[in-house]
Amino acid sequence: MRYSIPPIHCLTAFETVARLRSLSKAADELHVSASAVGHRLRQLQEGLGFRLFTGTQGEYVLSAKGTEYLEVVKTCLASLNHFPLETARSSARRTLRIASPPSFARQFLVARLPDFIRRHPRLNASLQLSVPLVGLKSDDADIEVRFGDGRYEGQEVIPLLHEPVFPVCGPQYLARHGSFLHPEDLAKATMLRSALEPWRPWLDAAGLDWPEPTADVDYFDMGLLLEACVNGQGVALARQTMAAGYLGSGALVRLFELTAWPTYGYYLTVLPENMERLEVADFITWLKGIVAKPESTDIAHTIEPSGSTDGSLQVNKG
């Protein structure tokens, strides 16, 4: 049997507005914006083909058909709310599903996410890993940190972090191969490769008409690339945020002051309907605020040029 049932979020919006007689109060209870509630009411009315409320704009007085339909909606919502009971009880706490590339999650998010949860005591967070550029992950996410060119069809895209790159290597590798005084001295080095971080922009900035380096291993993760560099396998391109811990500890050494703007950056992507959720909007504001203020993270960042404590965190490996 096929069912023609309005979306559940439209039904809950209708019941809440009818009960509270206020769009703003309904928005507060549902944890969405007032415009989102209004959109859901219009969507429901268009699907039903009759008006739910009468009166002038801003007055929420039920029409005759609206009163009749409300009783049906309340009965159905009550049935869903009580089956199963344990699920209904656990739904008092919402879950924000976040996806992120492994390196950004490891180097940036993991240490800071508990701070966001402390600010939202009725919220759980699920952090899963995605594959850079491809975006492959284990489950649908409410918001995703993506590493790429910023073109993501059907998504709301928010620029997050775009930093210049510079060459680094481990101190042992530097001791074995001597100093690198000029960019052309890299000719004697093993230049580690990652499809995520092409050398071309930096080579162009250095005036070196060299082909893209070839290597026995292509690291499809920025963290793995830096680990290979720490282990003395060669020279790699790094970004300040991802390499801050290594540089601070001396595990990596920066070779030149010369930097270049890379091909890819970090972006937040959200489905348009998820932008209406308060926890999603709060997460965007919180993360952009941390990235934009180096003093809050003890990391020096370069932003992309204009061009209660009972919350919990779950980590899923995608």
Side-chain angles (χ1 to χ4, degrees):
M1 177 183 295
R2 291 188 62 186
Y3 296 96
S4 180
I5 301 173
I8 191 71
H9 63 272
C10 294
L11 298 178
T12 56
F14 168 52
E15 186 280 330
T16 308
V17 172
R19 172 165 41 86
L20 299 177
R21 300 291 181 90
S22 167
L23 205 67
S24 60
K25 291 180 180 179
D28 290 341
E29 181 172 311
L30 295 172
H31 304 289
V32 297
S33 65
S35 62
V37 176
H39 174 75
R40 294 173 186 183
L41 289 180
R42 289 191 297 273
Q43 183 180 351
L44 181 59
Q45 289 186 141
E46 290 171 1
L48 294 173
F50 59 82
R51 294 186 65 185
L52 297 169
F53 298 98
T54 61
T56 61
Q57 186 175 4
E59 294 181 353
Y60 294 95
V61 179
L62 286 166
S63 65
K65 284 191 175 181
T67 300
E68 181 180 354
Y69 190 61
L70 178 62
E71 294 307 311
V72 175
V73 171
K74 287 167 65 176
T75 299
C76 293
L77 291 178
S79 298
L80 292 173
N81 190 56
H82 288 91
F83 184 83
L85 185 58
E86 290 305 316
T87 300
R89 286 173 177 168
S90 65
S91 66
R93 294 180 63 184
R94 305 182 307 281
T95 296
L96 179 64
R97 297 170 299 177
I98 307 161
S100 170
S103 295
F104 191 88
R106 185 184 308 112
Q107 303 290 348
F108 197 88
L109 269 182
V110 169
R112 295 164 176 85
L113 198 52
D115 172 66
F116 178 76
I117 298 301
R118 281 192 293 270
R119 297 166 186 250
H120 298 76
R122 298 184 66 82
L123 185 69
N124 294 331
S126 173
L127 177 59
Q128 57 179 285
L129 302 181
S130 60
V131 178
L133 301 187
V134 179
L136 182 66
K137 49 192 180 296
S138 61
D139 196 5
D140 291 332
D142 301 311
I143 185 166
E144 183 174 356
V145 178
R146 300 190 70 159
F147 184 76
D149 60 10
R151 295 195 292 266
Y152 304 105
E153 186 176 354
Q155 302 270 340
E156 297 286 342
V157 180
I158 302 99
L160 182 62
L161 181 64
H162 198 167
E163 299 178 298
V165 293
F166 48 86
V168 297
C169 72
Q172 299 88 351
Y173 188 88
L174 186 61
R176 289 200 310 269
H177 292 81
S179 59
F180 296 94
L181 300 179
H182 308 286
E184 53 268 27
D185 292 340
L186 291 180
K188 63 182 180 181
T190 299
M191 298 168 70
L192 299 178
R193 170 166 170 73
S194 172
L196 303 177
E197 200 71 280
W199 277 88
R200 185 76 271 144
W202 191 86
L203 292 175
D204 288 343
L208 298 174
D209 187 21
W210 296 356
E212 187 72 22
T214 59
D216 294 334
V217 181
D218 190 348
Y219 295 96
F220 214 77
D221 174 76
M222 307 286 272
L224 295 178
L225 176 68
L226 293 181
E227 283 293 331
C229 198
V230 169
N231 282 279
Q233 296 179 22
V235 178
L237 288 175
R239 305 181 184 213
Q240 182 65 36
T241 297
M242 297 298 105
Y246 296 118
L247 293 168
S249 67
L252 286 179
V253 178
R254 180 170 177 168
L255 297 182
F256 310 105
E257 289 301 316
L258 178 67
T259 64
W261 286 102
T263 304
Y264 304 120
Y266 288 96
Y267 299 85
L268 290 171
T269 63
V270 188
L271 288 173
E273 56 266 29
N274 285 335
M275 289 292 289
E276 301 174 350
R277 294 173 51 185
L278 287 181
E279 61 266 30
V280 171
D282 286 351
F283 182 81
I284 293 171
T285 301
W286 170 81
L287 187 55
K288 284 180 67 67
I290 287 179
V291 167
K293 296 179 180 179
E295 65 273 13
S296 69
T297 60
D298 297 323
I299 296 174
H301 296 95
T302 304
I303 305 305
E304 182 174 18
S306 42
S308 135
T309 59
D310 60 342
S312 65
L313 171 64
Q314 174 186 351
V315 180
N316 301 327
K317 295 191 73 172

